């Protein structure tokens, strides 16, 4: 089945089935929120009646005003001035601060004799958790989840107060926009008190694309040392292909045991790959001595093999696969850092359409839903834990040396069963900060983390992304010692060192862990594609933070804007990544980009693809194509034919046209291979915008309180063509059980906020994102403009 169709057919909420005997209570709804500090906000008697009601996931920072770094507003105090300047290149011109959340919780009486555990998938950037006025836990690195046993802390037959304080920390505690708050899910888990599975209890590995090995971690608190486990495996179609009952026993002095189950053979296994990402489901029940079920867990896995070596890069199921990817931060555009599964799914589906098969999770673990969606859609993941290994870059609250032992275990156990994860990455660009543990630029720290990781997963190799790849301190021609210690040699941008380093160290296998979009094309075609693992284009989607100058609120050099509209260069990427799909696309160069970042040119040429210009204007054009040649026509008259310079890696798939005279009408590129027309792209002069059209993207919108509807608003002329220069102000109103979660128009320089009911058109379009309520409802969105005919969009949630 075509991989794009496969991804479309999968439900985003089919991640992990809830098994019997284990009760999962969703705690995402009904919170009260206060921005800023609040004295005694953890106390039971605290009055939160005036606090705002919110639902999780929630990013309180995305709602805050932009803070201009204008020099006239900078204070004389150098510390405060440095705080403001730091926002310029990192935290998206948002104030740092704290937010308080309170949930009034009365547990169901049926849970009284159960073991109760609170699970937090993340609190940004650090967090403290209180129950009935007492601190019961928290996180010092909010990208990693945690749980707290509250069995003996819950009050029965009365209301409990669960309070959370989230802190974005200091501006310099991150180099990008992090968001703030309860940005991932919260839940309450109830299990048997005396016999239960631990957190992330299953370790599932496969062998030879046929055999499955499962170990299960469980705890016995009573006298029972012997038990039985019922093991079943369902195939991707839901049919049970294995079922058995296995005796188990507590084999260590500890009450917690990791018990390996007998190896299971799956005849004619349906393999997991990029085109057909088949997923099996393992269900494990543990029985009391009387035969009743004490606890049950489920997890999905894929049957596949990964091989890595210097002669071929990477193989998936015995076939060469090239990582064609992106490295972005975790935030989701106008939604901020709030981890909405539907927004993640939308991104992955878009990227697959443009040939992307890989994501590097820079520079921290993304949500678990993200990894599971990659499992479903056939995306290969380099799963990354940290940026630099310092207190400053890992939350800022405790020394890094006190943090990593817990984070590595949680991170690896959470994601180890996912077939999409093909490499672990411990960090990024350590060479730029000399204050690494043990003063050897990361070598000892890497070895320690790798040793701990291999305790929980020995099936994947490990790496650290390096920039610059750095010459050895004693010898100018050698890579640094860390590059020689890692399993995979991951260089950010410096692919030109691959041949030389490979000649000196033939055991090295190379991965361009960040590639510049500005150098797209050469930095792909100049690699030995049959030998390297692949690459990840940095910032392929524009994102908040790491601005290269106000008024830009973030990174503006991607191939997709922050609202997910493709820029012209996205079609260059598609022509490279999908060579078997003929393509041609016109790009008009409006300005040259020359911005530098970390010693790399990251600024891309400002391009557009509209044909409304000044008569007689002389234009510079590119046509992106993977065909043999392109012929360009203006109003039906050929202005030339050029071959694709496929033998020149610096210009391949990019044909330049100089001094093209603009004439109203149309311009068309016709691509040919072997003399046959294989693709066309045409842009036309449009008339004045007369109306708005609205296009929802979700035909199966769920009334679950978290599902999203993305609606693209476009200004069109009388012939229904997009009018790129329309900039009308839009106002949205909504009827039904849904609310506006965010608005965007793709303009990274806009001063408009993302959480409001209005925004202006940019390049003739805008985006409004709706969050469903919990009651099935008819939803009507009305989009108004002062000049254009309004659009009324009727939808429904199910």
């Amino acid at each position: 089945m075509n991989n794009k169709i496969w991804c479309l057919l999968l439900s985003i909420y089919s991640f992990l089935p809830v098994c019997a005997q284990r009760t999962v209570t969703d705690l995402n709804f009904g919170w009260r929120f206060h921005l800023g500090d609040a004295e005694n906000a953890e106390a039971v008697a605290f009055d939160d009646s005036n606090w705002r009601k919110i639902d999780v996931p929630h990013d309180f920072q995305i709602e805050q005003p932009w803070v201009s770094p204008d020099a006239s507003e900078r204070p004389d105090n150098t510390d405060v001035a440095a705080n403001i300047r730091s926002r310029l290149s990192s935290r998206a011109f948002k104030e740092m601060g704290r937010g308080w959340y309170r949930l009034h919780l009365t547990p169901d009486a049926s849970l009284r004799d159960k073991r109760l555990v609170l699970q937090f998938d993340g609190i940004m950037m650090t967090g403290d958790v209180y129950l009935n006025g007492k601190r019961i836990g928290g996180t010092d690195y909010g990208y990693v989840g945690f749980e707290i046993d509250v069995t003996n802390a819950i009050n029965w037959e009365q209301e409990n107060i669960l309070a959370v304080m989230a802190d974005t920390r200091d501006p310099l505690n991150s180099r990008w926009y992090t968001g703030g708050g309860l940005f991932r899910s919260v839940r309450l888990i109830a299990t048997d008190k005396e016999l239960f599975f631990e957190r992330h209890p299953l370790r599932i590995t496969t062998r030879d694309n046929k055999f499955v090995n499962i170990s299960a971690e469980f705890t016995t608190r009573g006298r029972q040392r012997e038990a039985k486990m019922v093991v079943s495996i369902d195939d991707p179609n839901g049919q049970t292909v294995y079922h058995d009952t296995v005796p188990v026993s507590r084999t260590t002095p500890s009450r917690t045991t990791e018990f390996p189950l007998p190896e299971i053979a799956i005849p004619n296994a349906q393999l997991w790959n990029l085109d057909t990402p088949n997923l099996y489901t393992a269900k494990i029940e543990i029985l009391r001595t009387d035969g009743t079920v004490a606890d049950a867990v489920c997890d999905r896995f894929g049957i596949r093999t990964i091989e890595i070596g210097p002669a071929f890069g990477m193989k998936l199921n015995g076939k060469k696969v090239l990582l064609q990817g992106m490295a972005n931060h975790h935030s989701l555009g106008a939604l901020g850092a709030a981890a909405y599964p539907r927004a993640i799914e939308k991104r992955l589906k878009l990227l697959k359409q443009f040939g992307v098969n890989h994501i590097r999770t820079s520079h921290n673990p993304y949500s678990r839903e993200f990894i599971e969606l990659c499992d479903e859609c056939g995306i290969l993941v380099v799963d990354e834990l940290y940026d630099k290994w310092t207190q400053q870059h890992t939350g800022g609250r405790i020394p890094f040396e006190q943090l990593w032992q817990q984070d590595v275990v949680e991170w690896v156990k959470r994601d180890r069963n996912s077939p999409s994860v093909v490499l672990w990455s411990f960090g990024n660009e350590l060479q730029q900060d000399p204050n690494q543990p043990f003063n050897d630029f990361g070598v000892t720290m890497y070895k320690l983390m790798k040793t701990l990781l291999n305790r929980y997963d020995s099936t994947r190799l490990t790496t650290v992304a390096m920039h610059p790849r750095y010459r050895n301190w004693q010898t100018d021609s050698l890579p640094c010692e860390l590059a020689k210690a890692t399993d995979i040699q991951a260089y950010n941008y410096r692919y030109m060192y691959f041949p030389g380093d490979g000649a000196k160290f033939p055991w090295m296998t190379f991965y361009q862990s960040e590639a510049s979009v500005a150098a797209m094309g050469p930095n792909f075609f100049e690699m030995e594609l049959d030998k390297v693992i692949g690459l990840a284009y940095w910032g392929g989607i524009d994102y908040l933070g790491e601005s290269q100058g106000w008024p830009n609120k973030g990174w503006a050099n991607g191939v997709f804007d922050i609202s997910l509209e493709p820029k012209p260069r996205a079609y260059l990427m598609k022509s490279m990544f999908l060579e078997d799909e003929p393509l041609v696309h016109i790009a008009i160069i409006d300005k040259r980009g020359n911005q530098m970042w970390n010693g790399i040119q990251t600024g891309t040429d400002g391009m557009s693809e509209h044909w409304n210009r000044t008569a007689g204007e002389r234009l510079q054009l590119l046509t992106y194509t993977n065909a043999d040649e392109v012929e360009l026509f203006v109003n039906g008259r050929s202005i030339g034919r050029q071959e694709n310079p496929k033998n020149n890696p610096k210009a391949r798939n990019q044909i330049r046209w100089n001094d093209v005279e603009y004439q109203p009408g149309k311009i068309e590129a016709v691509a040919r291979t072997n003399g046959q027309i294989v693709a066309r792209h045409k842009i036309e002069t449009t008339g004045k915008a007369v109306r708005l059209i609205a296009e929802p993207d979700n035909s199966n919108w769920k009334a679950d309180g978290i599902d999203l509807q993305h609606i693209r608003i476009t200004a069109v002329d009388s012939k229904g063509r997009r009018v790129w220069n329309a900039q009308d102000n839009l106002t949205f109103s909504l009827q039904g059980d849904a609310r506006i979660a965010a608005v965007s128009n793709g303009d990274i320089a806009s001063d408009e906020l993302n959480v409001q009911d209005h925004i202006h058109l940019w390049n003739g379009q805008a985006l409004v994102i709706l969050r469903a309520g919990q009651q099935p409802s008819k939803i009507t969105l009305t989009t108004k403009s002062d000049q254009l005919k309004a659009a009324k969009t009727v939808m429904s949630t199910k």
Side-chain angles (χ1 to χ4, degrees):
M1 182 182 292
N2 182 279
N3 57 353
K4 300 170 193 172
I5 297 175
W6 181 278
C7 187
L8 288 168
L9 291 177
L10 289 165
S11 165
I12 67 167
Y13 299 114
S14 62
F15 301 130
L16 184 61
V18 177
C19 296
Q21 320 325 110
R22 171 172 282 231
T23 302
V24 180
T25 304
D26 189 340
L27 299 184
N28 284 341
F29 305 104
W31 290 82
R32 293 179 179 271
F33 173 74
H34 170 77
L35 179 64
D37 255 331
E39 188 176 357
N40 298 321
E42 75 279 10
V44 173
F46 184 88
D47 182 6
D48 59 18
S49 59
N50 291 324
W51 286 17
R52 182 158 64 97
K53 293 181 180 179
I54 64 97
D55 296 326
V56 173
H58 178 247
D59 174 5
F60 67 73
Q61 208 173 26
I62 194 66
E63 306 168 352
Q64 306 311 310
W66 310 111
V67 180
S68 167
D70 189 286
S72 64
E73 299 177 10
R74 287 182 180 169
D76 294 332
N77 183 294
T78 55
D79 291 336
V80 177
N83 181 306
I84 293 175
R85 286 194 298 272
S86 71
R87 299 191 194 103
L88 185 65
S89 61
S90 56
R91 309 284 291 266
F93 302 101
K94 298 286 189 179
E95 290 285 4
M96 302 300 105
R98 294 179 173 180
W100 276 91
Y101 298 82
R102 284 168 59 94
L103 183 68
H104 296 246
L105 174 65
T106 302
D108 191 280
S110 64
L111 305 181
R112 189 178 187 107
D113 295 324
K114 300 289 187 179
R115 167 181 170 265
L116 299 180
V117 177
L118 283 171
Q119 290 187 347
F120 291 83
D121 287 351
I123 303 174
M124 188 50 54
M125 164 175 262
T126 63
D128 296 297
V129 180
Y130 302 84
L131 184 61
N132 299 324
K134 180 180 178 181
R135 188 183 186 278
I136 56 172
T139 178
D140 296 309
Y141 185 62
Y143 295 106
V144 173
F146 62 99
E147 67 179 22
I148 307 168
D149 191 324
V150 294
T151 306
N152 298 321
I154 285 281
N155 293 327
W156 294 97
E157 300 179 0
Q158 59 182 291
E159 186 177 77
N160 293 261
I161 300 298
L162 178 61
V164 177
M165 189 279 290
D167 190 345
T168 63
R169 303 295 298 165
D170 296 329
L172 296 179
N173 285 140
S174 179
R175 299 188 298 121
W176 55 86
Y177 177 81
T178 62
L182 290 175
F183 75 129
R184 296 179 185 167
S185 289
V186 186
R187 63 189 69 85
L188 179 67
I189 308 294
T191 72
D192 186 86
K193 280 186 174 181
E194 296 194 346
L195 183 60
F196 54 88
F197 289 108
E198 287 291 333
R199 180 168 173 83
H200 311 309
L202 301 184
R203 181 176 184 175
I204 306 172
T205 60
T206 63
R207 181 174 65 85
D208 298 337
N209 280 345
K210 177 181 179 181
F211 299 100
V212 179
N213 288 278
I214 303 175
S215 67
E217 185 178 15
F218 67 96
T219 292
T220 59
R221 287 181 173 170
R223 295 183 178 181
Q224 182 175 346
R225 298 182 64 91
E226 308 291 328
K228 291 182 178 180
M229 286 188 187
V230 179
V231 183
S232 64
I233 295 177
D234 290 351
D235 72 11
N237 300 313
Q239 300 298 311
T240 300
V241 294
Y242 178 85
H243 184 86
D244 198 8
T245 301
V246 179
V248 299
S249 60
R250 195 175 80 201
T251 57
T252 64
S254 168
R255 293 185 178 275
T256 298
T257 300
E258 292 177 71
F259 193 88
L261 301 171
E263 186 171 69
I264 300 166
I266 306 293
N268 303 312
Q270 300 177 54
L271 301 187
W272 186 94
N273 58 47
L274 302 183
D275 294 327
T276 52
N278 293 300
L279 292 170
Y280 286 77
T281 301
K283 304 176 182 179
I284 316 292
E285 297 176 329
I286 190 164
L287 308 181
R288 304 182 185 91
T289 53
D290 63 2
T292 59
V293 177
D295 197 6
V297 290
C298 317
D299 206 355
R300 297 188 308 175
F301 66 97
I303 298 175
R304 57 101 174 111
T305 58
I306 292 290
E307 303 168 73
I308 294 176
F312 53 84
M314 179 179 289
K315 291 181 181 180
L316 173 62
N317 300 326
K319 297 180 180 179
K320 165 71 178 181
V321 62
L322 185 69
L323 298 190
Q324 301 176 161
M326 286 190 179
N328 262 69
H329 293 304
H330 66 289
S331 58
L332 298 171
L335 294 163
Y340 289 97
R342 182 69 71 180
I344 298 167
E345 180 201 38
K346 183 175 181 67
R347 290 184 166 223
L348 294 180
K349 286 163 56 176
L350 174 66
L351 294 177
K352 288 282 278 193
Q353 291 169 7
F354 280 78
V356 171
N357 66 13
H358 159 56
I359 301 291
R360 172 184 167 216
T361 68
S362 317
H363 304 292
N364 46 259
Y366 287 11
S367 68
R368 179 59 190 158
E369 290 88 346
F370 173 88
I371 298 294
E372 289 169 324
L373 279 162
C374 289
D375 291 341
E376 292 184 357
C377 290
I379 297 282
L380 301 171
V381 177
V382 173
D383 204 344
E384 192 156 274
L385 180 57
Y386 294 123
D387 186 22
K388 298 168 176 57
W389 300 336
T390 68
Q391 178 172 339
Q392 175 185 340
H393 297 101
T394 54
R397 198 153 77 164
I398 65 172
F400 173 76
E401 291 83 352
Q402 298 176 21
L403 192 69
W404 66 271
Q405 298 94 328
Q406 294 76 38
D407 290 347
V408 168
V409 175
E410 168 67 17
W411 168 59
V412 172
K413 290 179 72 174
R414 190 196 75 167
D415 291 345
R416 62 187 173 184
N417 296 334
S418 285
S420 62
V421 177
V422 294
L423 280 174
W424 303 112
S425 174
F426 289 118
N428 176 68
E429 297 183 351
L430 308 182
Q431 293 88 339
Q432 294 185 15
D433 193 321
N435 299 312
Q436 302 301 311
F438 307 109
N439 198 32
D440 60 358
F441 283 89
V443 174
T444 300
M445 191 71 254
Y446 167 78
K447 291 178 179 179
L448 288 171
M449 286 196 283
K450 179 182 175 181
T451 299
L452 180 57
L453 181 146
N454 288 158
R455 159 68 177 83
Y456 297 97
D457 177 45
S458 58
T459 67
R460 296 172 180 88
L461 299 182
T462 60
T463 192
V464 175
M466 293 169 235
H467 179 67
R469 142 273 197 199
Y470 243 75
R471 294 170 174 82
N472 186 284
W473 290 112
Q474 287 79 34
T475 309
D476 196 43
S477 60
L478 296 177
C480 66
E481 291 303 315
L482 182 60
K484 292 185 281 186
T486 54
D487 295 334
I488 302 299
Q489 285 59 52
Y491 296 175
N492 291 351
Y493 309 107
R494 305 297 191 185
Y495 69 94
M496 63 288 296
Y497 288 111
F498 291 172
D501 288 357
K504 294 183 179 69
F505 307 100
W507 44 266
M508 286 186 168
T509 307
F510 297 101
Y511 163 54
Q512 193 178 168
S513 37
E514 289 177 23
S516 171
V517 168
M520 182 176 283
N523 55 18
F524 181 76
F525 291 120
E526 288 180 346
M527 295 192 299
E528 294 183 84
L529 298 179
D530 58 334
K531 293 184 178 181
V532 299
I533 289 176
L535 54 61
Y537 278 108
W538 179 257
I541 302 174
D542 289 353
Y543 58 86
L544 292 172
E546 292 190 299
S547 166
Q548 292 179 296
W550 180 270
N552 286 355
K553 309 308 185 297
W555 187 262
N557 301 308
V559 298
F560 299 96
D561 71 29
I562 199 167
S563 77
L564 301 184
E565 278 286 276
K567 303 178 187 179
R569 196 178 288 262
Y571 295 91
L572 169 60
M573 182 182 72
K574 186 174 183 179
S575 76
M576 294 158 38
F577 287 175
L578 295 176
E579 284 189 313
D580 296 334
E581 293 189 15
L583 174 151
V584 65
H585 200 89
I586 301 168
I588 302 168
I589 302 173
D590 296 320
K591 62 179 181 179
R592 305 293 298 182
N594 58 5
Q595 299 100 323
M596 300 295 291
W597 186 266
N598 284 345
I600 300 296
Q601 181 177 332
T602 56
T604 56
D605 292 345
M607 297 181 187
S608 60
E609 50 184 286
H610 67 82
W611 202 240
N612 285 64
R613 299 174 185 272
T614 304
E617 182 181 359
R618 298 286 176 170
L619 303 172
Q620 308 298 310
L621 277 67
L622 286 170
T623 48
Y624 297 130
T625 189
N626 48 21
D628 289 347
E629 64 178 23
V630 172
E631 187 170 7
L632 197 64
F633 297 84
V634 175
N635 295 331
R637 181 178 64 86
S638 175
I639 62 170
R641 181 184 295 194
Q642 292 192 57
E643 290 186 358
N644 183 355
K646 292 185 177 181
N647 293 324
N648 179 0
K650 293 188 181 300
R652 182 172 174 177
N653 290 15
Q654 305 179 66
I655 300 175
R656 183 174 293 273
W657 306 82
N658 296 318
D659 204 32
V660 176
E661 182 180 357
Y662 170 73
Q663 300 171 15
K666 67 178 180 180
I667 183 170
E668 183 175 23
V670 177
R672 295 181 176 89
T673 294
N674 296 324
Q676 301 297 312
I677 295 175
V678 294
R680 296 175 181 267
H681 181 225
K682 176 179 67 175
I683 56 179
E684 298 178 315
T685 305
T686 63
K688 180 181 178 181
V690 297
R691 63 188 176 93
L692 300 169
I693 60 172
E695 299 172 282
D697 75 334
N698 185 357
S699 61
N700 189 32
W701 193 11
K702 295 181 176 65
D704 60 4
I706 193 172
D707 198 9
L708 300 178
Q709 183 75 262
H710 295 74
I711 304 171
R712 182 72 59 179
I713 311 295
T714 307
V716 298
D717 68 5
S718 60
K719 294 183 179 181
R721 300 172 300 189
R722 177 175 174 177
V723 179
W724 286 75
N725 61 3
Q727 299 185 38
D728 300 65
N729 292 313
L730 305 181
T731 301
F732 306 105
S733 59
L734 198 60
Q735 293 178 313
D737 190 21
R739 62 183 181 271
I740 296 173
V743 294
S744 181
N745 60 15
D747 182 6
I748 201 76
S750 174
D751 290 335
E752 295 165 295
L753 294 178
N754 296 117
V755 184
Q756 57 186 10
D757 64 357
H758 58 277
I759 199 164
H760 80 281
L761 292 170
W762 187 68
N763 287 337
Q765 61 80 42
L767 177 70
V768 57
I769 306 173
L770 308 182
R771 179 173 179 167
Q774 294 179 276
Q775 299 298 321
S777 174
K778 175 183 175 181
I779 310 295
T780 302
L781 174 72
T782 302
T783 307
K784 292 183 178 180
S785 160
D786 291 339
Q787 304 295 326
L788 307 177
K789 183 179 178 180
K792 182 171 288 189
T793 313
V794 180
M795 303 152 284
S796 62
T797 57
K798 305 173 184 178

